[in-house]
């Protein structure tokens, strides 16, 4: 089945890398990790903020969307005021609110995304409340309630484009569907005009009204999706992501074709988010890790950049794997060459290459954090890998040390 035309990402390359992530609140070791690997990085956020204008929200690396454009209804507004932080069940949650009166000018949509494109392999998880009916107004709109990771699309059919739609829930259908349906879609690339989508997807044709634990593991060539501990899909091959991504949630209208008059308002809520860098956690381990953070009083943790590659004590860059995982082992990296000491001897950086501690490359960082986009204009620099890395662009992540301009 072809998933319909959904989002235009040309503008994202200019906004997905706006700010630095905030200071580390507590290391994962403080609350106990779910993995035997050492030096592993975590992102955890309990969304304990006062409003979308809370300075902590931006200092922790989150951006409420305000720029115009797709996906969704043409002419719709994306407002920071559509992102709020009410209390639900005794816990602060992040809430997205979207409404429509059936016109583009009368449609408001909501999105929160991470400012830096720095997440790649490992485990992504979020506890999300999907809703089947509006909080006010007539029901039936083609609303899309989402949790996803994404990189910018740099031109039609960009072969390095990466996107994981961990859940796209359509309670009233849409894209030719008439009933509730939930998708997990892993993308290779797409073209807007004429529309062409190259992806693989799994689907569930039932209601998902209520709270759900959404988990995806990205490791060893496999993208494995879970909802409430049950595996929903295993996507592999060329669809495996090829570069770092942002973490995102949004709530938007596919169209206004099903609207029946008046103003209808819908919500989606998010309890927490967890990313375990270079680690495959089982859904039960995700639950244990988030519970450990909460019991320790940690509302925000970020050791993703400060942690290093997440390695076993022997030093090999091997993510931990769950016993029930169907993943096949990844090939061992080729034997590393001695690091270059100057720009003349250093190779050009490649997004697909594996680099180990001490290896050097030359590269001019991109302007917006998209390696295939425009250059920064700062010229080529010599960069040295701080630890094992792949798919992280020098100048945009903490994986590389800047040794100066060539």
């Amino acid at each position: 089945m072809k998933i319909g035309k959904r989002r235009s990402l040309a503008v994202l390359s200019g906004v997905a890398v706006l700010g630095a992530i905030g200071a580390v609140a507590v290391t994962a070791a403080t609350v106990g990790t779910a993995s035997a690997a050492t030096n592993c990085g975590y992102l955890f956020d309990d969304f304990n903020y006062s409003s979308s204008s809370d300075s902590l929200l931006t200092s922790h690396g989150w951006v409420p969307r305000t720029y115009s454009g797709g996906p969704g209804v043409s002419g719709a507004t994306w407002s920071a005021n559509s992102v709020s932080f009410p209390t639900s069940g005794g816990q602060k949650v992040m809430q997205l609110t979207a409404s429509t009166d059936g016109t583009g000018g009368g449609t408001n949509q909501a999105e929160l995304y991470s400012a830096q494109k720095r997440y790649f392999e490992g485990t992504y998880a979020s506890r999300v409340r999907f809703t089947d009916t509006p909080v006010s107004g007539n029901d039936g709109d083609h609303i899309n309630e989402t949790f996803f990771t994404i990189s910018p699309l740099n031109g039609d059919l960009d072969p390095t484009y990466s996107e994981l739609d961990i859940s796209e829930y359509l309670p009233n259908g849409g894209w030719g569907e008439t009933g509730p349906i939930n998708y997990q879609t892993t993308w290779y690339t797409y073209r807007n005009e004429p529309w062409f989508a190259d992806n693989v997807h799994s689907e569930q044709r039932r209601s998902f009204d209520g709270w759900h634990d959404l988990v995806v593991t990205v490791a060893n060539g496999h993208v494995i999706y879970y909802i409430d501990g049950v595996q929903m899909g295993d996507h592999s091959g060329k669809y495996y992501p090829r570069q770092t991504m942002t973490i995102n949630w949004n709530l938007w209208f596919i169209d206004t074709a099903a609207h029946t008059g008046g103003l209808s308002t819908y919500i989606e809520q998010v309890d927490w988010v967890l990313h375990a860098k270079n680690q495959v956690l089982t859904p039960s381990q995700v639950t244990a890790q988030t519970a450990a953070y909460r019991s320790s009083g940690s509302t925000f943790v970020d050791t993703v950049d400060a942690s290093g590659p997440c390695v076993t004590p022997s030093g090999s860059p091997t993510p931990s794997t769950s016993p029930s995982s169907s993943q096949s082992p990844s090939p061992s990296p080729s034997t590393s060459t001695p690091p270059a000491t100057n720009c003349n001897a250093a190779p050009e950086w490649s997004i697909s290459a594996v680099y180990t501690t001490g290896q050097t490359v030359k590269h001019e960082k991109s302007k917006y954090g998209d390696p295939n986009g425009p250059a920064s204009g700062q010229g080529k620099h010599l960069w040295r890998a701080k630890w094992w890395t792949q798919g992280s662009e020098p100048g945009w992540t903490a994986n590389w040390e800047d040794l100066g301009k060539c």
Side-chain angles (χ1 to χ4, degrees):
M1 167 184 171
K2 184 174 93 169
I3 304 298
K5 184 186 298 185
R6 297 174 299 157
R7 56 176 67 95
S8 174
L9 297 173
V11 293
L12 187 57
S13 63
V15 298
V17 289
L18 297 177
I21 302 299
V24 174
V26 62
T27 65
T30 304
V31 296
T33 65
S35 167
T38 60
N39 202 24
C40 299
Y42 284 89
L43 170 73
F44 172 74
D45 202 327
D46 209 15
F47 294 114
N48 190 19
Y49 304 104
S50 60
S51 69
S52 60
S53 60
D54 190 332
S55 60
L56 280 178
L57 183 70
T58 51
S59 70
H60 287 170
W62 300 113
V63 180
R65 177 173 170 177
T66 56
Y67 64 90
S68 62
V73 176
S74 178
T77 298
W78 299 84
S79 171
N81 293 329
S82 296
V83 179
S84 59
F85 298 90
T87 299
S88 175
Q91 293 280 354
K92 279 276 194 175
V93 298
M94 186 267 287
Q95 179 171 293
L96 304 175
T97 302
S99 61
T100 187
D101 64 2
T103 69
T107 298
N108 292 278
Q109 304 178 140
E111 179 170 348
L112 186 77
Y113 60 92
S114 62
Q116 285 192 323
K117 186 179 70 72
R118 61 182 187 136
Y119 306 100
F120 187 40
E121 292 180 304
T123 301
Y124 301 82
S126 187
R127 183 165 175 79
V128 176
R129 180 191 170 203
F130 295 131
T131 56
D132 278 0
T133 57
V135 293
S136 63
N138 295 336
D139 195 6
D141 291 288
H142 293 157
I143 190 80
N144 192 350
E145 307 172 21
T146 79
F147 170 44
F148 62 101
T149 66
I150 199 168
S151 70
L153 181 79
N154 185 49
D156 290 344
L157 306 180
D158 176 5
T160 67
Y161 176 69
S162 301
E163 178 180 354
L164 311 177
D165 293 330
I166 302 165
S167 265
E168 285 191 304
Y169 180 51
L170 283 55
N172 296 316
W175 297 328
E177 298 291 339
T178 57
I181 189 168
N182 189 48
Y183 293 106
Q184 297 81 43
T185 308
T186 309
W187 288 78
Y188 179 67
T189 193
Y190 75 94
R191 180 183 61 216
N192 257 324
E193 298 292 345
W195 176 248
F196 174 80
D198 193 351
N199 59 45
V200 60
H201 81 278
S202 302
E203 62 185 46
Q204 302 83 45
R205 296 176 179 271
R206 63 180 184 272
S207 171
F208 279 86
D209 186 65
W211 286 101
H212 298 281
D213 291 340
L214 310 178
V215 177
V216 62
T217 60
V218 182
N220 303 319
H222 289 256
V223 180
I224 302 180
Y225 297 93
Y226 302 87
I227 299 180
D228 299 328
V230 178
Q231 182 174 316
M232 297 294 169
D234 183 345
H235 303 169
S236 60
K238 72 176 185 178
Y239 302 102
Y240 193 79
R242 292 156 300 285
Q243 61 170 298
T244 53
M245 300 169 285
T246 59
I247 296 175
N248 314 249
W249 302 262
N250 61 21
L251 182 66
W252 53 279
F253 296 92
I254 295 171
D255 53 47
T256 57
H259 190 73
T260 56
L263 184 70
S264 297
T265 302
Y266 297 79
I267 64 169
E268 174 185 354
Q269 293 180 333
V270 181
D271 192 9
W272 49 258
V273 65
L274 175 78
H275 172 64
K277 175 183 174 182
N278 291 350
Q279 303 171 79
V280 175
L281 304 186
T282 65
S284 61
Q285 287 175 322
V286 167
T287 300
Q289 188 70 61
T290 57
Y293 283 130
R294 280 185 161 173
S295 65
S296 71
S298 301
T299 59
F300 178 76
V301 175
D302 184 5
T303 59
V304 172
D305 286 342
S307 66
C310 182
V311 298
T312 62
S314 63
S316 59
T318 53
S320 59
T321 56
S322 64
S324 60
S325 173
S326 61
Q327 300 164 349
S328 58
S330 60
S332 300
S334 57
T335 303
S336 62
T337 56
T341 56
N342 57 64
C343 288
N344 291 333
E348 296 282 350
W349 173 76
S350 169
I351 193 171
S352 61
V354 170
Y355 299 98
T356 55
T357 303
Q359 285 189 287
T360 55
V361 297
K362 55 190 173 189
H363 176 69
E364 180 176 359
K365 66 178 288 188
S366 62
K367 188 174 183 179
Y368 300 122
D370 176 8
N372 293 301
S376 63
Q378 298 174 8
K380 290 185 180 180
H381 283 226
L382 183 65
W383 305 90
R384 180 165 56 206
K386 295 181 181 179
W387 42 70
W388 186 95
T389 184
Q390 182 184 35
S392 61
E393 185 189 5
W396 280 109
T397 73
N399 296 342
W400 296 92
E401 178 186 1
D402 188 355
L403 299 182
K405 191 171 183 179
C406 291

